[in-house]
Amino acid sequence: MRTQVAIIGAGPSGLLLGQLLHKAGIANVIVERQSPDYVLGRIRAGVLEQIAVDLMDECGVGARMHREGLVHEGIELLFKGKRHRIDFPGLTGGKTVMVYGQTEVTHDLMDARKAEGLPTVYEVGDTVTLHGFDGTSPKVRYRKDGVEHEIECDFIAGCDGYHGVSRASVPKGAITEYEKVYPFGWLGLLADVPPVFHELIYANTERGFALCSMRSKTRSRYYVQVPLTDKVEDWSDDAFYDELGRRLDPEARERLVRGPSLEKSIAPLRSFVAEPMRFGRLFLAGDAAHIVPPTGAKGLNLAASDVKYLSSAFVEHYKEKSNAGIDHYSARALARVWKAERFSWWFTQLMHRFPDSGEIGQKLQEAELDYLVQSKAASTALAENYVGLPL
Ligand code: RFL
Ligand code: PHB
């Protein structure tokens, strides 16, 4: 098989890139480890920046998102038992975010790809190998149903997430990795119950962080900070709701509706960046190159901005015969990545209970939160990062 761009991974990065390239007349093939249902079953992100919304529109798949997604104009910060609103449009000159689940984003992109008849090879397991990306004729090999296949291509896009094969294929000496692992995780629960409040609530409490998010007006997504040693089996739904309730203000606690979990899982928190994001004809995008802790809702949005830069670079290469975009891809993407890494790290350390920081740690966080909601400058810094920094 021969194509122009071989894409590894059918998560949001790979699917968005595939659709943008197709719109520009650039041939691409996606190779994915799992089945479509498995990919759709991973409950992850919920908040899209305007840049990600625009990209869905550019891909021609924005209709359902505009119909069913919820435009949010602010978030609430809960600390010392009281809630304080951060008003996004007021602080950022009119900007908002869209609550629309990663599952739905992926679904819409998969449907469009199928409708256009674009080649996607699912369920290749761990058989993918990358070859010759340091030269001029890269190849991707994989095995499907016991048969070996080879894709000849001009470029490889590594969109295969943190545990993917793309970054792992780069010689160790060519890559620098920066990493911080946080000493806690997020236990998340998804249920068909109306959200406790119509905006997201981020809570700092002496018992640890909590987040009340949603997927729709009838489906809630809640999280509580837990020690890394906790197992999801240790947490019954009732124990989860009890603990969430203890971390909320009385009004929110009163409104908390319980319902059986559709999904419950623990996610570890990590900050991670691999530099550079290009190795000859191999380009990394999304979680393959960087991870943020979910506190700032930046992971999927960074994947979208990487893909925006990368698709423009390929379009410049094929249509304008210029390699400028390709040559600048890594530096352009990393400049935005590091700012989102900084924001996510800052918001994580402001909102969570750290095992070693003691009572003084809690007091210092509360003082910073007080300052944050009282100072327009500080609130603006939070709001403009949350809605997304410019491309
Ligand atoms: P993905 O989604 O991990 O997709 C990579 C795909 O590559 C496949 N793959 C392979 N395919 C072929 N061969 C191999 N060897 C392969 N190895 C892997 C995988 O099966 C998979 O299908 O990466 P991508 O596309 O870069 O997308 C990144 C996002 O998924 C991620 O950043 C977000 O989910 C992060 N995130 C959030 N981001 C936001 O912007 N807003 C949020 O509100 C938000 N909330 C979250 C989150 C992540 C969370 N968890 C569980 C980590 C909340 C949570 C709890
Ligand atoms: C989510 O809805 O899953 C979500 C929302 C906001 C975050 C993280 C996760 O900061």
Side-chain angles (χ1 to χ4, degrees):
M1 200 182 335
R2 153 122 213 117
T3 193
Q4 289 175 301
V5 181
I7 300 172
I8 319 296
S13 308
L15 290 166
L16 273 171
L17 180 64
Q19 205 62 22
L20 288 173
L21 294 181
H22 170 68
K23 290 271 168 208
I26 300 169
N28 62 89
V29 177
I30 300 185
V31 183
E32 162 64 46
R33 177 175 17 204
Q34 306 285 1
S35 69
D37 283 348
Y38 185 97
V39 173
L40 288 171
R42 291 189 293 230
I43 308 298
R44 289 180 165 187
V47 180
L48 303 181
E49 297 173 359
Q50 191 61 44
I51 288 171
V53 169
D54 292 345
L55 218 52
M56 290 286 282
D57 285 334
E58 214 180 302
C59 288
V61 300
R64 190 164 73 100
M65 172 187 68
H66 288 292
R67 234 175 19 247
E68 297 177 14
L70 305 171
V71 173
H72 277 210
E73 299 196 337
I75 52 169
E76 302 240 316
L77 297 179
L78 165 56
F79 58 96
K80 292 198 286 184
K82 284 207 173 58
R83 276 194 262 151
H84 306 260
R85 183 160 191 268
I86 303 291
D87 165 24
F88 295 154
L91 292 163
T92 63
K95 298 203 173 110
T96 58
V97 294
M98 173 82 87
V99 168
Y100 191 63
Q102 178 166 335
T103 309
E104 310 312 322
V105 168
T106 311
H107 211 293
D108 295 344
L109 287 163
M110 278 181 176
D111 284 355
R113 195 166 174 88
K114 205 168 164 191
E116 312 250 23
L118 305 181
T120 316
V121 190
Y122 283 101
E123 293 182 270
V124 299
D126 280 323
T127 66
V128 174
T129 52
L130 278 48
H131 307 269
F133 53 82
D134 48 349
T136 51
S137 46
K139 291 177 183 61
V140 171
R141 297 198 185 112
Y142 63 93
R143 200 167 56 248
K144 168 95 179 161
D145 302 329
V147 182
E148 297 285 342
H149 298 264
E150 183 175 275
I151 308 173
E152 288 178 13
C153 54
D154 300 332
F155 301 104
I156 303 174
C159 300
D160 48 352
Y162 181 67
H163 298 288
V165 65
S166 300
R167 194 181 72 252
S169 303
V170 175
K172 278 280 163 276
I175 195 163
T176 308
E177 299 186 346
Y178 301 87
E179 183 175 47
K180 178 178 177 68
V181 178
Y182 298 85
F184 41 74
W186 279 19
L187 170 64
L189 178 145
L190 184 74
D192 275 331
V193 291
V196 71
F197 189 64
H198 66 277
E199 291 183 333
L200 271 61
I201 302 175
Y202 287 85
N204 169 302
T205 81
E206 286 177 9
R207 302 185 65 88
F209 171 76
L211 169 61
C212 298
S213 181
M214 67 193 74
R215 291 291 174 273
S216 70
K217 288 182 177 160
T218 56
R219 182 169 283 189
S220 299
R221 179 66 164 164
Y222 296 132
Y223 297 98
V224 292
Q225 172 187 351
V226 293
L228 280 174
T229 45
D230 277 20
K231 300 272 167 288
V232 71
E233 307 79 66
D234 305 337
W235 283 88
S236 66
D237 290 357
D238 268 330
F240 179 94
Y241 287 114
D242 287 346
E243 185 55 33
L244 178 63
R246 284 186 208 106
R247 298 184 191 189
L248 297 180
D249 57 293
E251 194 193 328
R253 182 162 44 238
E254 187 81 2
R255 294 180 52 141
L256 180 61
V257 181
R258 296 176 183 226
S261 56
L262 304 169
E263 193 263 5
K264 204 162 45 183
S265 53
I266 296 182
L269 270 66
R270 182 190 307 274
S271 295
F272 172 85
V273 181
E275 287 189 345
M277 288 169 60
R278 175 206 178 176
F279 308 89
R281 286 176 173 257
L282 168 64
F283 297 80
L284 302 181
D287 280 15
H290 41 74
I291 297 287
V292 285
T295 324
K298 288 285 158 258
L300 174 57
N301 292 302
L302 275 185
S305 56
D306 286 355
V307 162
K308 175 81 189 157
Y309 295 135
L310 189 54
S311 61
S312 331
F314 287 144
V315 171
E316 269 177 57
H317 171 84
Y318 286 111
K319 308 289 161 195
E320 296 160 29
K321 311 281 176 236
S322 158
N323 279 338
I326 281 178
D327 290 339
H328 294 137
Y329 168 69
S330 178
R332 273 177 89 188
L334 282 166
R336 193 165 193 276
V337 164
W338 275 113
K339 291 190 195 90
E341 290 282 348
R342 188 219 55 92
F343 171 67
S344 305
W345 158 81
W346 167 79
F347 202 28
T348 300
Q349 58 98 28
L350 178 64
M351 297 306 292
H352 292 75
R353 179 97 200 188
F354 281 75
D356 298 329
S357 64
E359 293 310 310
I360 188 170
Q362 182 67 27
K363 289 284 182 194
L364 290 168
Q365 285 177 337
E366 289 171 1
E368 184 168 353
L369 282 160
D370 256 335
Y371 168 68
L372 183 60
V373 298
Q374 281 160 17
S375 154
K376 191 168 179 201
S379 300
T380 304
L382 167 60
E384 66 189 11
N385 277 279
Y386 198 96
V387 300
L389 295 176
L391 275 175

